[in-house]
Amino acid sequence: DFPIALGNTLLLNFMGLIAGFPIPIILAIMLNEIRSTKVKKVSQTLLYLPHFLSWIIISGLALLIIVTLTTKVSKGEIVK
């Protein structure tokens, strides 16, 4: 049992390194290529927000934004 568990553990760690290592680098390059500073700042804030706040707070904020926008759209307050 131990050799199988060890092999599975090493395989999962190796797969995590292969999948998880290039993703932050690719994301950093993609963020660097954004020309609009406003879009870049908003996307950076949204990407780093979960590291500083609890997921409960973030989901509450998202729900608040969605409910507010849905209410305004249903009342016809948002018109292009």
Side-chain angles (χ1 to χ4, degrees):
D1 289 335
F2 178 74
I4 294 172
L6 180 65
N8 288 340
T9 302
L10 293 175
L11 179 65
L12 284 173
N13 283 327
F14 180 71
M15 288 171 52
L17 282 173
I18 295 297
F21 180 70
I23 291 175
I25 296 170
I26 293 169
L27 184 62
I29 291 170
M30 288 173 57
L31 281 174
N32 193 33
E33 294 297 321
I34 296 176
R35 296 181 195 270
S36 172
T37 56
K38 187 173 183 179
V39 173
K40 187 184 290 190
K41 286 182 181 183
V42 169
S43 60
Q44 285 175 343
T45 301
L46 290 176
L47 285 170
Y48 282 109
L49 200 60
H51 296 284
F52 299 112
L53 297 176
S54 167
W55 279 105
I56 303 298
I57 296 172
I58 293 171
S59 62
L61 286 171
L63 183 64
L64 181 68
I65 291 170
I66 291 170
V67 167
T68 303
L69 288 176
T70 306
T71 306
K72 288 185 177 188
V73 168
S74 66
K75 289 183 179 179
E77 295 177 8
I78 298 177
V79 179
K80 288 187 176 183

